Amino acid sequence: QVQVTESGGGLVQAGGSLRLSCAASGRTDIYSAAGWFRQAPGKEREFVAAISGSGTRTYYADSVKGRFNISRDTANNTVYLQTNSLKPEDAGIYFCAASRYALRYASNYDYWGQGTQVTVSS
């Protein structure tokens, strides 16, 4: 079992930044990879970024590449998503999930947090 908790969402103007945090506890030795997904109203959940358990491999959706950065503090079992140059289309609920492997597909993730809301005003 892994417990996942996101934080750091909020309201920001277009062009602004937010740093989202994902704290994990439990069997993070097994489910060490993490992914961020987001879901806007009326849309399907979509992949944003993922990071391997070692932190050496990262993956990004094309829509956020160059603007978002995923990183991790392994000692504290926390994964961060630095979001920069935010656009209104980046708004939604951002979910963090834990898995054995860093993958782009939500179905591969075993444990999910409740999400944190990101609102971007134009």
Side-chain angles (χ1 to χ4, degrees), residues 6 37-41 45 90-95 114-118:
E6 306 94 335
F37 294 78
R38 66 187 181 191
Q39 187 166 19
R45 192 170 298 190
D90 292 317
I93 301 175
Y94 280 67
F95 297 91
Q114 295 298 307
T116 186
Q117 178 74 49
V118 171

Side-chain angles (χ1 to χ4, degrees), residues 22-47:
C22 171
S25 61
R27 296 306 305 268
T28 56
D29 54 331
I30 297 175
Y31 301 93
S32 59
W36 284 97
F37 294 78
R38 66 187 181 191
Q39 187 166 19
K43 294 189 176 181
E44 293 188 354
R45 192 170 298 190
E46 64 173 355
F47 170 75

Side-chain angles (χ1 to χ4, degrees), residues 31 37 97-112:
Y31 301 93
F37 294 78
S99 174
R100 294 173 181 263
Y101 308 107
L103 297 167
R104 297 174 180 265
Y105 306 104
S107 59
N108 288 109
Y109 287 80
D110 303 278
Y111 298 98
W112 292 79

Side-chain angles (χ1 to χ4, degrees), residues 1 7 11 28 43 45 54-55 76-78 84 86 97 113 118:
Q1 285 273 18
S7 61
L11 171 65
T28 56
K43 294 189 176 181
R45 192 170 298 190
S54 63
N76 291 311
N77 289 326
T78 302
N84 300 319
L86 283 162
V118 171

